[in-house]
Amino acid sequence: MKLRFLLVLAPACALGLTACDKIRIPGKDQPAMHAPASSGPSSDTSSSSGNDGTAQAAAEDYPVRPQAMASTATIDWAAARADVAAQAGVGGGVSTFEIASGEEAPPVPVMLPSLDELHIQSGESGVKFQPLSDGYFAVYPGADYNIVVNGTNEVIGERTDAGDTPMRFSPTTTGAQVAFTKYGADYLVEFECTNASGENPECISEEDAMSIAGSLVPVRSR
């Protein structure tokens, strides 16, 4: 019976090969189905492309700025020497420290406050002075606060004003500070509270801080 079915089917296949291609022979495995090739980009590629576009847009919205470059200030040594000479003629209780005459002076004019203005608890023997490659710092210990005087010739970024600047007071997390520029160098007077507590301790008023910073006088120059 099966053979008769195949013999009858043969003429039909000769007339229409397309129809016979669709007939499945019993017992034979069907060929594996393959997914048609996608004509468009995959979701991963689209997502990656979208991320790249977002990153590029972010780069365009937030351009990379050049880092601030440090430079060396131009010091008016002639003016500093004249003021040091004038101050030496006046005298009057200015702390000059024991800086050896054979040592090279710091790269900025040394400005220090008057001992009469400070009323330092431990006296001048407790004062520390340290020359640095870009300037110096001096430490004055006190009962309510320590005073640190910093001088530097290092300039960060572009300086728009090459002349002297007025004193600027600002509170800090350790007390307060006063900053100013003179002779082309930058000076910072810091007041570090020794007994006051809290995030913003107050151990010196703005008036007293400005008075002490204003008492700084040049005591050494090149």
Side-chain angles (χ1 to χ4, degrees):
M1 187 69 181
K2 184 175 181 181
L3 178 60
R4 180 182 297 177
F5 172 77
L6 294 176
L7 293 175
V8 172
L9 186 61
C13 291
L15 295 176
L17 294 177
T18 304
C20 291
D21 290 340
K22 297 181 180 180
I23 297 176
R24 178 174 64 87
I25 300 176
K28 297 295 184 179
D29 295 334
Q30 296 186 25
M33 300 296 293
H34 296 281
S38 175
S39 58
S42 65
S43 58
D44 294 341
T45 305
S46 176
S47 175
S48 175
S49 176
N51 292 337
D52 293 343
T54 303
Q56 183 177 1
E60 293 176 355
D61 293 341
Y62 302 97
V64 178
R65 295 181 175 85
Q67 295 182 350
M69 302 298 294
S71 59
T72 302
T74 301
I75 305 299
D76 189 350
W77 292 108
R81 285 192 295 269
D83 290 347
V84 169
Q87 183 62 35
V90 173
V94 174
S95 175
T96 58
F97 296 100
E98 296 180 358
I99 303 176
S101 59
E103 294 181 357
E104 184 180 2
V108 295
V110 178
M111 297 192 68
L112 301 173
S114 169
L115 289 178
D116 294 338
E117 179 72 22
L118 295 178
H119 305 292
I120 299 175
Q121 178 184 12
S122 59
E124 188 174 356
S125 60
V127 177
K128 298 179 181 179
F129 181 84
Q130 179 63 53
L132 303 173
S133 60
D134 65 326
Y136 72 94
F137 73 88
V139 180
Y140 293 79
D144 298 325
Y145 49 82
N146 299 325
I147 301 174
V148 182
V149 181
N150 304 272
T152 179
N153 64 358
E154 186 178 17
V155 178
I156 303 299
E158 183 178 357
R159 172 169 289 179
T160 57
D161 188 357
D164 297 349
T165 62
M167 295 185 298
R168 304 176 300 279
F169 171 87
S170 59
T172 67
T173 56
T174 59
Q177 65 182 24
V178 178
F180 64 93
T181 301
K182 191 172 182 62
Y183 308 120
D186 288 336
Y187 296 90
L188 180 68
V189 185
E190 300 177 275
F191 302 90
E192 300 176 345
C193 298
T194 57
N195 297 319
S197 59
E199 294 182 358
N200 297 293
E202 295 183 3
C203 55
I204 186 172
S205 65
E206 179 177 353
E207 180 181 0
D208 290 342
M210 296 288 280
S211 176
I212 293 175
S215 75
L216 267 66
V217 292
V219 298
R220 187 172 185 184
S221 178
R222 287 184 175 180

